[in-house]
Each structure stands twice: as structure tokens, then as C-alpha cells.
Amino acid sequence: SSGINAEWPLRRDTTSFQALKRLTAHHDLHLYYPLFWDVNLLECAIAQHHKKGETLLRDFLIGLMGKAELNENNASPLIKRTVESKKAAFLRTLLYKFCERN
């Protein structure tokens, strides 16, 4: 495990991590954190909030990572069900936001 720290040692140059780094400056992104299913993205967000001194958001994310449903040692069907559920909720939320603006 890479651990939670201010340095992000893995996949720093990938598009999703660059986008997350830019988006953490926007105030609404924290509303989507419970819908994240990838622990690596959550760790990246924790590191960004830690760097900025945003302890409330950092601690919120640490709490999300501690949820049993995100445990990578869970049985494969449970992991698959969790990912599918979170992805569906995330996409529904994005669709709703898009339709709301148009």
C-alpha cells in the first residue's frame, strides 16, 4: 500500500489523477466523494486536502476509506456489486446535474 501522505508516488501523470488534483479546488467535488469506488482516487484526494490544510475534508475522506464496502480484501462478488452500485449512483448524479443545467 502506498499509504496516505502528501506525496503521491504512483500514477501521478495519469489523466484521472490530474483531473482530480485540479478539481479539488472546486467546492462541489466533496459532494461526490461518497460515490468514489476507487481507493486510489480517495487517497489522492486525501493527499490534496492534506497539502492544502483542509483537515475537515481530509478526515471525511479517511472515514470513507474506512468503510467495510471499500475493503479490497472483500469477496469478489461484493467488490463487484459495490463498484457497480457506486458507478451507477455517480453516473445518475452527473446526468441529473447535466440535465439540470441544460
Side-chain angles (χ1 to χ4, degrees), residues 48-62:
Q48 292 305 312
H49 289 300
H50 179 75
K51 280 183 182 178
K52 294 177 185 178
E54 298 169 343
T55 55
L56 222 63
L57 285 171
R58 181 200 65 202
D59 293 347
F60 173 69
L61 284 163
I62 290 171

Side-chain angles (χ1 to χ4, degrees), residues 4-57:
I4 300 168
N5 58 37
E7 291 300 316
W8 188 251
L10 302 174
R11 301 183 341 191
R12 174 177 276 170
D13 60 335
T14 60
T15 306
S16 59
F17 289 95
Q18 288 175 344
L20 180 63
K21 187 175 179 178
R22 286 191 304 272
L23 288 174
T24 54
H26 299 290
H27 300 288
D28 289 343
L29 183 63
H30 66 279
L31 299 174
Y32 299 100
Y33 288 155
L35 303 177
F36 285 12
W37 59 90
D38 188 291
V39 175
N40 294 316
L41 284 175
L42 290 172
E43 285 182 347
C44 183
I46 288 169
Q48 292 305 312
H49 289 300
H50 179 75
K51 280 183 182 178
K52 294 177 185 178
E54 298 169 343
T55 55
L56 222 63
L57 285 171

